[in-house]
Amino acid sequence: MTVGRVRRQAAQGRRAGLPSRLVADAVDLVMIALLAWVILLAVAAVRFMFSGDLDIPGLREPVLRTTSGLVLCTAYLAYGWASAGKTIGKELMGLRVMREDGRPLGTPLAVVRAVLCLLLMPGLLWALVSRRNASIQDLLVGSVVVYDADHRRRPFMARRRAEG
């Protein structure tokens, strides 16, 4: 058994600290930005098919840009937390989001948590002083972010089938 594997198993189920959560969130921000570009390119491709004009759309209105960005972020986060308990960033860092009792968040709580994470971004810093490594969002929703050492043992799709 390797040292890394022993450490992962020892951390299994423990509450995740701020550094690993910040790295996971940074990865998620990059993924959301890439997803936004893919959506814009898809819209441009559809426009090109019907009009012959290749133009990548831009959201010039600040209100529309902000609203669409918040909707995309909320959808990305909520989908990841409601379906597998993790986003791509959480998957890479070996983290899982769940209820305090260990059950999955479910869609309603995942959406509420996503909205709170966007509205109260500095709330994550509360994990620095919390004995439970809980952010403000975790306290309000009753969620926890834990280390998930078993996440690397099975291929991703096999985990999805087993969890869903």
Side-chain angles (χ1 to χ4, degrees):
M1 193 176 285
T2 65
V3 173
R5 189 174 201 182
V6 170
R7 285 183 183 156
R8 281 195 304 271
Q9 287 178 342
Q12 174 72 23
R14 282 191 340 188
R15 293 173 189 247
L18 185 64
S20 56
R21 291 173 73 165
L22 285 174
V23 171
D25 291 345
V27 170
D28 286 334
L29 284 175
V30 170
M31 294 307 300
I32 291 166
L34 290 173
L35 183 59
W37 273 103
V38 167
I39 291 170
L40 290 175
L41 291 173
V43 169
V46 169
R47 275 188 182 172
F48 178 74
M49 289 179 3
F50 291 104
S51 70
D53 184 27
L54 184 59
D55 179 34
I56 297 176
L59 301 173
R60 292 173 189 16
E61 292 294 322
V63 172
L64 182 60
R65 186 173 47 240
T66 302
T67 303
S68 61
L70 289 174
V71 168
L72 180 62
C73 288
T74 301
Y76 172 85
L77 295 172
Y79 176 76
W81 296 335
S83 62
K86 54 183 79 178
T87 56
I88 293 171
K90 297 275 191 282
E91 172 76 15
L92 289 175
M93 293 304 297
L95 306 177
R96 178 180 300 277
V97 179
M98 61 180 67
R99 293 182 190 197
E100 287 183 352
D101 62 7
R103 293 184 299 148
L105 274 186
T107 302
L109 278 180
V111 170
V112 170
R113 188 176 193 276
V115 169
L116 288 173
C117 284
L118 294 172
L119 294 178
L120 304 171
M121 280 186 213
L124 179 59
L125 297 177
W126 186 255
L128 282 172
V129 296
S130 170
R131 290 182 184 169
R132 298 173 16 206
N133 288 352
S135 67
I136 297 292
Q137 299 86 336
D138 292 327
L139 296 173
L140 292 173
V141 175
S143 61
V144 294
V145 179
V146 297
Y147 291 104
D148 185 22
D150 293 332
H151 83 287
R152 295 183 195 264
R153 288 194 190 158
R154 295 177 281 165
F156 182 70
M157 291 310 292
R159 285 194 306 277
R160 295 281 313 264
R161 284 191 292 274
E163 294 165 356

